[in-house]
């Protein structure tokens, strides 16, 4: 009878318990018995008791009182007891428990035991739960075992060494020579362990990486042997000879060949061979091909090989097996940054995968689609994404909405499209959007002056249909409050005309105020909007007064405060009411960039204007709920002396680059001075048309890690016919030495109309100065 | 690195749990429950990879699972492992169990949990794949079991006696013993 027969009895008893309570009772009795037996002196059944305890632990009951018993059992001379003791140590102990230190000595002794199975138990336990001190103590032992003659021990020692290197990276040097010599082993298990060890060593230290690059020919030989060998019954999995080892070696080759021409050359032939000869009809072959493709894309391979690799991925994408499709999308994700065009070719298939019924495939397809969005395909891709949003699984919704917003902010072809897209998302999935969406959208609407009428009509219609999506309702209320006069005016070229009376509007707002579905913040928005309408409508001012005075005794403190203040505005400060409630001026505001926004180098403007402006902006009226604070004015007095100094150094022949030219207005960029981490440029605006340019302002934005300081412009009027210029100096501080880019927004009035354009400056002219 | 290996049945009862990263006990049970919840929702014809759990390892991990009759074999791995490779590894592990237990079924896993742990120890060590050759694994497990039996001591004496009797070559017992007039019919004894 094997030692676990009493374990089986206990399992039978536990399984026969019919309720959870009965089971708990049985287990408590058993645990009490086990505890009593642990306290007794050595009896023959110790290993049974620990085995029972481990079973109980698996079911979720506390088992910490078994830790000392594990220590005792490990020290026992009998193999059966050692076995269970080590298993218990791996399940119950970890480096945080004090008891784990006590087994260090036992492990040390067992590592030199005569029986290889005892040695292997010790190695296994050390690899699972060895703490940093234990690893340091025992590393020389492991190194010795790496050179043992027994391949069973060698392969275990190799993996144990990996664990040690992970815990104490400095010990990597200790294992490097033995790891190298293990590459010449014939035993696949040892070879596998050696490759894992070398991979870990190379990932930790660049010097070791350089050392192991010399081993590339050897690795190529081993791979060739595996690929070209005939059928070997030992390692065969579905016709491929040891695919696990092949995959490991390919991964190591990837690490060694990255950024290194010599190593990459040495593996080109091999990779081509593997790519063409491997049969991908079964999972094993696909696994090898997949690793090969990733390796090809990551090293400096020839272009022919890269094309072959991307084609393999494309074939995978069309495979019927869902696993293969999933894997191909994962690998396409890895290469989409570097080989964007190659992946774009498969966009159609990827978008189709959005409709797959498998949630994992959908998730991968979503990530990939978001990565593939570009200015060219934004409209069609956004249609697909919006369709996806309406039927996507709930766990993916918030990710989808943030992805859509990011894409819309970066590539919106027009403001109207942008607003439409955001409104569509809010209607479909308003509950899953980020918190900053509401202020961002309001900001966007404010800046799109020509669309105010269209926007307010659309929002009003959405509000009347459904008031459950809080973010949508908040934005709609705000817009109605601001642009109520446009709504009541009735005409709008872009949508069908609808007659909206003042009563309708006030009814809608009151519904929001009174509905149980409205959050307190939403009701605040609605109340303020109602108040603002008092200056924009003519007939129902009394109705507004009565609404406002009712809320003067509302339980919600915020609403009550607002209502009381608005009441005061009606009574005592009626003469100021119009001024206080007039429309918000357009201004740049500081919107905090969300941390998870997908950003490449050009993280500019994020849908809103950069905060730095040459003149201080007027703060918005206080009661308007969501108005963000105006930005602090940039001081232009400091550094003025510096500016003059640099101005003197400025040679007359510094090259100018024309960055913008339209309607006779020209903007040129001139580099004044440049150091390693900063650059000073001047933006010069001139006017060759026949009428003066007024209100000429410049706003600039730069990548996140660069600091921007704009000095005061020399003026904001450019006389006609080139009679004068406006100069503005900009100081850019680039401590991280990222590649400098700048986006400049030019706005001015000419012949009674305003113009606004955005220019991107990707390269700064060099400075020539003595 | 493999972070955890979980085997549970169609109702979520754990049959084997092995974590290669430290988690407190209640955390472990929570992970099992969450994993079961995610895996049991899956159809049978979707892919074997799952993302979206939140408890183990943060965003860098996925669940690779295989469903065999009444058992789910789930491996939680991070991005350093090849997904298709792990899928094959699960297959190798199950075939090894099949060989060691002779047509393995759920009851074998229930009553011989410790043995399954010892077999698993030969396949995965410290969260890393150790050996993938099925014959090698089975051979090593056999040798270890033999070693354990050989030093069985007192408690194994009955077992040794039984196996000794089994291996004895008892001559055939005659069915009918004729001694003069007496006819004794020997009842047929069931073989050991």
């Amino acid at each position: 009878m094997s030692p676990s027969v009493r374990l089986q009895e206990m399992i039978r008893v536990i399984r026969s318990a019919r309720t959870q309570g009965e089971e708990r009772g049985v287990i408590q009795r058993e645990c009490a018995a086990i505890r009593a037996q642990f306290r007794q002196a050595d009896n023959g059944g110790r290993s049974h008791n620990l085995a029972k305890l481990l079973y109980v632990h698996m079911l979720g009951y506390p088992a910490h009182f078994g830790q000392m018993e594990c220590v005792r059992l490990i020290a026992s001379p009998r193999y059966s007891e050692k076995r269970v003791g080590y298993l218990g140590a791996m399940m119950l102990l970890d480096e945080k428990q004090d008891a784990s230190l006590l087994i260090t000595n036992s492990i040390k002794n067992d590592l030199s035991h005569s029986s290889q199975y005892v040695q292997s138990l010790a190695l296994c336990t050390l690899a699972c739960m060895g703490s940093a001190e234990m690893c340091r103590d025992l590393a020389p032992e492991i190194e010795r075992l790496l050179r043992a003659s027994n391949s069973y021990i060698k392969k275990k020692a190799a993996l144990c060494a990996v664990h040690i290197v992970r815990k104490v990276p400095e010990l990597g040097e200790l294992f490097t020579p033995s790891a190298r010599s293990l590459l010449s082993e014939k035993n696949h298990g040892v070879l596998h362990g050696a490759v894992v060890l070398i991979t870990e060593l190379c990932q930790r230290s660049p010097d070791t990486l350089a050392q192991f690059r010399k081993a590339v020919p050897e690795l190529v030989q081993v791979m060739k042997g595996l690929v070209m060998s005939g059928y070997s019954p030992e390692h065969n999995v579905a016709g491929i000879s040891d695919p696990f080892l092949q995959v490991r070696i390919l991964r190591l080759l990837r690490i060694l060949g990255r950024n290194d021409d010599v190593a990459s050359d040495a593996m080109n032939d091999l990779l081509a061979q593997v790519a063409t000869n491997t049969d991908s009809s079964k999972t094993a072959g696909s696994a090898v091909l997949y690793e090969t493709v990733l390796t090809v894309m990551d090293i400096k391979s020839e272009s022919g090989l890269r094309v072959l690799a991307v084609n393999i991925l494309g074939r995978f994408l069309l495979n019927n097996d869902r696993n293969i499709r999933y894997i191909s999308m994962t690998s396409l994700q890895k290469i989409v940054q570097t080989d964007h065009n190659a992946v774009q070719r498969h966009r159609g298939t990827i978008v189709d995968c959005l409709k797959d019924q498998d949630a994992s495939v959908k998730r991968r397809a979503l990530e990939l689609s978001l990565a593939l969005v570009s200015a060219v395909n934004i409209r069609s891709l956004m249609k697909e994404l919006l369709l996806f949003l309406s039927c996507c699984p709930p766990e993916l919704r918030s990710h989808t909405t943030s992805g859509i917003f990011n894409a819309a902010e970066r590539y919106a072809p027009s403001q109207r499209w942008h607003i439409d897209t955001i409104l569509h998302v809010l209607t479909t999935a308003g509950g899953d959007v980020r918190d900053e969406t509401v202020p961002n959208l309001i900001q966007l609407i404010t800046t799109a002056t020509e669309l105010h009428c269209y926007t307010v009509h659309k929002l009003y219609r959405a509000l009347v249909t459904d008031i459950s999506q809080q973010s949508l309702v908040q934005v709609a209320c705000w817009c109605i409050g601001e642009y109520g006069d446009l709504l009541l005016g009735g005409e709008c070229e872009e949508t069908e005309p609808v007659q909206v009376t003042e009563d309708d509007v006030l009814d809608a707002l009151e519904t929001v105020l009174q509905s149980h579905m409205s959050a307190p913040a939403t009701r605040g928005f609605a109340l303020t909007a109602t108040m603002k309408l008092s200056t924009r409508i003519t007939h129902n001012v009394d109705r507004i007064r009565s609404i406002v005075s009712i809320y003067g005794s509302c339980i919600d403190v915020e609403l009550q405060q607002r209502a009381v203040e608005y009441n005061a505005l009606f009574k005592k400060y009626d003469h100021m009411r119009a001024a206080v409630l007039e429309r918000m001026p357009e201004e740049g505001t500081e919107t905090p960039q969300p941390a998870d926004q997908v950003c490449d180098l050009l993280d500019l403007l994020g849908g809103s204007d950069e905060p730095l402006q040459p003149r201080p902006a007027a703060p918005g009226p206080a009661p308007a709920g969501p108005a963000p604070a105006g930005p602090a004015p940039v001081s232009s007095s400091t550094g003025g002396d510096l500016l003059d100094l640099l101005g003197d150094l400025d040679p007359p022949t510094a090259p100018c680059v024309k960055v913008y030219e339209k309607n006779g207005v020209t903007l040129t960029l001139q580099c004044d001075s440049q150091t390693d981490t900063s650059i000073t440029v001047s933006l010069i605006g001139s006017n060759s048309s026949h009428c003066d340019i007024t209100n000429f302002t410049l706003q600039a934005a730069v990548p996140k890690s660069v600091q921007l300081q704009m000095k005061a412009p020399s003026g904001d009027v450019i006389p006609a016919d080139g009679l004068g210029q406006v100069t503005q100096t900009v100081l850019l501080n680039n401590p991280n030495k990222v590649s400098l880019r700048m986006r400049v927004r030019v706005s001015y009035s000419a012949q009674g109309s305003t113009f606004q354009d955005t220019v991107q400056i990707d390269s700064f002219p060099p400075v020539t100065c003595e | 690195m493999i972070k955890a290996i979980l085997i549970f049945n169609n109702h979520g009862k754990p049959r084997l749990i092995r974590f290669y990263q430290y988690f407190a006990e209640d955390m472990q049970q929570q992970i099992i429950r969450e994993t079961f919840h995610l895996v049991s929702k899956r159809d049978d014809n979707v892919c074997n990879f799952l993302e979206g759990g939140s408890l183990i390892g943060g965003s860098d991990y996925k669940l690779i699972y295989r469903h065999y009759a009444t058992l789910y074999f789930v491996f939680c791995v991070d991005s350093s492992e090849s997904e298709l490779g792990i899928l094959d590894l699960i297959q190798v592990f199950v075939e090894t169990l099949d060989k060691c237990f002779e047509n393995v079924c759920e009851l074998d896993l229930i009553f011989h949990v410790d043995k399954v742990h010892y077999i698993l120890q030969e396949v995965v060590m410290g969260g890393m794949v150790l050996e993938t050759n099925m014959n090698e694994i089975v051979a090593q497990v056999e040798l270890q079991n033999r070693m354990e039996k050989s030093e069985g001591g007192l408690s194994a004496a009955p077992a040794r006696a039984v196996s000794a009797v089994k291996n004895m070559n008892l001559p055939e017992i005659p069915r009918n013993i004729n001694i003069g007039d007496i006819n004794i019919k020997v009842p047929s004894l069931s073989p050991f």
Side-chain angles (χ1 to χ4, degrees), chain A residues 662-678:
Chain A
K662 200 174 161 190
N663 299 337
V665 181
T666 319
L667 186 66
T668 51
L669 177 75
Q670 184 179 303
C671 181
D672 294 331
S673 76
Q674 191 171 30
T675 68
D676 265 357
T677 54
S678 68

Side-chain angles (χ1 to χ4, degrees), chain A residues 359-431:
Chain A
S360 298
V361 170
K362 271 200 201 155
R363 184 187 282 261
R364 288 276 124 236
L366 172 66
E367 299 269 355
L368 211 43
S369 307
L370 289 175
L372 285 178
V373 170
S374 73
V376 176
N377 56 29
I378 178 78
R379 281 189 196 262
S380 49
L381 205 46
M382 191 55 79
K383 262 196 227 116
E384 297 287 342
L385 285 172
L386 289 175
L387 203 59
F388 174 68
L389 183 62
S390 47
C391 57
C392 84
E395 61 268 9
L396 289 179
R397 285 183 123 194
S398 55
H399 189 70
T400 316
T401 53
S402 7
I404 290 179
F405 284 154
N406 286 337
E409 278 167 20
R410 288 167 76 194
Y411 298 113
S414 72
Q415 282 189 317
R416 175 173 161 174
W417 181 92
H418 195 172
I419 291 179
D420 278 344
T421 311
I422 299 188
L423 288 182
H424 191 135
V425 172
L426 284 180
T427 348
T428 339

Side-chain angles (χ1 to χ4, degrees), chain B:
Chain B
M1 178 177 153
I2 300 175
K3 304 229 161 146
I5 296 181
L6 309 171
I7 305 179
F8 42 76
N9 71 356
N10 287 346
H11 303 291
K13 287 224 85 153
R15 294 301 174 212
L16 180 132
I17 60 173
R18 191 63 201 262
F19 284 89
Y20 293 102
Q21 204 180 341
Y22 176 69
F23 291 101
E25 265 141 30
D26 49 337
M27 190 63 170
Q28 288 185 357
Q29 291 298 316
Q30 233 183 316
I31 291 174
I32 296 173
R33 274 196 296 273
E34 187 197 47
T35 311
F36 170 67
H37 182 68
L38 285 170
V39 159
S40 57
K41 282 197 295 195
R42 307 274 288 171
D43 268 340
D44 271 333
N45 56 350
V46 298
C47 71
N48 298 83
F49 308 112
L50 246 186
E51 294 167 79
S54 53
L55 288 181
I56 282 195
S59 59
D60 183 26
Y61 88 109
K62 30 177 93 97
L63 297 170
I64 302 178
Y65 72 97
R66 272 205 126 118
H67 190 186
Y68 293 93
T70 59
L71 288 174
Y72 283 100
F73 283 69
V74 183
F75 278 44
C76 307
V77 304
D78 67 7
S79 56
S80 70
E81 295 289 334
S82 156
E83 291 96 344
L84 293 174
I86 295 290
L87 212 50
D88 272 338
L89 186 69
I90 300 181
Q91 185 68 21
V92 167
F93 179 47
V94 173
E95 281 178 24
T96 312
L97 286 178
D98 202 30
K99 264 214 171 138
C100 290
F101 283 104
E102 260 136 71
N103 280 333
V104 68
C105 63
E106 188 179 345
L107 282 177
D108 289 317
L109 294 190
I110 296 173
F111 283 101
H112 298 282
V113 165
D114 48 346
K115 285 216 177 25
V116 181
H117 269 289
Y118 298 143
I119 297 173
L120 186 57
Q121 254 166 241
E122 294 299 317
V123 182
V124 176
M125 185 171 110
M128 296 169 274
V129 177
L130 175 64
E131 178 65 63
T132 54
N133 181 346
M134 198 165 58
N135 298 327
E136 174 76 15
I137 301 170
V138 173
Q140 293 299 337
V141 171
E142 274 301 299
L143 287 170
Q144 289 178 15
N145 287 340
R146 213 172 294 168
M147 185 162 159
E148 186 165 341
K149 278 206 186 83
S150 71
E151 57 152 53
L154 208 54
S155 51
R160 286 214 289 269
V162 169
S163 49
V165 168
K166 253 201 217 163
N167 295 335
M168 243 184 335
N169 262 329
L170 288 170
E172 264 305 323
I173 301 178
R175 293 272 148 243
N176 281 315
I177 304 178
N178 270 324
I179 312 174
D181 304 348
I182 312 171
N183 224 341
I184 306 172
K185 213 180 182 109
V186 180
S188 62
L189 295 160
S190 56
F192 272 99

